[in-house]
Amino acid sequence: LKLPEFIFKFALVSATWASRSQRTMVFNLPDAYGWVVLSHSLSWVSNMYLTIKVAMARKKYNVKYPALYAPESHPNAEEFNCVQRAHQNTLESWAPVQLLMAFNGILHPKFAAACGAIWAAGRIIYGHGYSKYGPDGRMAGGLISHIGDLPLMIGGFVTAYKMIKMSSDK
């Protein structure tokens, strides 16, 4: 067998085996899914904003790589660490929010996009407040972010239920 022929036969056997062992859920992305993609893109803007703030704070407060945070003995430890923590906190929730937005967007694109955009805006407000006013300055942005991420979390269960129901109704 030549390599392309082998790959084709392997794919055919795999597809046949998969169709016997499991059913496949087929779906099309809704027309409004572009809003979800836009919202994903807005999250990259938020991340870049926070990344730039950390880079500027590293220069301003003279915190060298590879240190993630300034040590307690650093004269500007709290100022730098607040900027860095705002970015780290965003990164900690970024992937789950993006996945929930993508999954919810399959059935509810405008809902998912709106929640994602609220989350992205909240992260900018969170980062600005945390870096300018310290830990107390993060509250408004944190609340706004949760207005976006908590509905996505609940929506994830709703979307999962609907998809499971659709697949079992076949």
Side-chain angles (χ1 to χ4, degrees), residues 65 86 108 131 153:
Y65 287 106
H108 307 286
S131 63
M153 194 181 318

Side-chain angles (χ1 to χ4, degrees), residues 47-152:
N47 182 54
M48 287 306 302
Y49 169 78
L50 296 170
T51 300
I52 290 167
K53 285 191 78 66
V54 171
M56 291 170 57
R58 279 191 181 282
K59 186 174 181 177
K60 179 179 179 180
Y61 300 123
N62 196 29
V63 177
K64 305 288 183 204
Y65 287 106
L68 189 57
Y69 292 99
E72 286 184 33
S73 60
H74 191 283
N76 300 105
E78 183 172 351
E79 292 87 349
F80 175 78
N81 291 343
C82 285
V83 176
Q84 176 66 1
R85 187 68 202 125
H87 187 230
Q88 281 300 122
N89 182 266
T90 298
L91 293 177
E92 290 163 7
S93 62
W94 194 17
V97 168
Q98 299 313 294
L99 286 171
L100 285 168
M101 190 179 5
F103 294 146
N104 282 305
I106 294 168
L107 297 181
H108 307 286
K110 291 181 181 175
F111 162 78
C115 289
I118 291 166
W119 181 85
R123 298 323 295 175
I124 290 174
I125 295 165
Y126 179 88
H128 174 76
Y130 205 167
S131 63
K132 188 163 180 145
Y133 304 110
D136 291 339
R138 64 195 166 120
M139 298 306 170
L143 288 171
I144 293 168
S145 296
H146 289 316
I147 291 170
D149 64 16
L150 292 176
L152 283 171

Side-chain angles (χ1 to χ4, degrees), residues 13-24:
V13 169
S14 297
T16 303
W17 176 80
S19 67
R20 289 182 187 152
S21 65
Q22 64 189 24
R23 294 180 0 180
T24 304

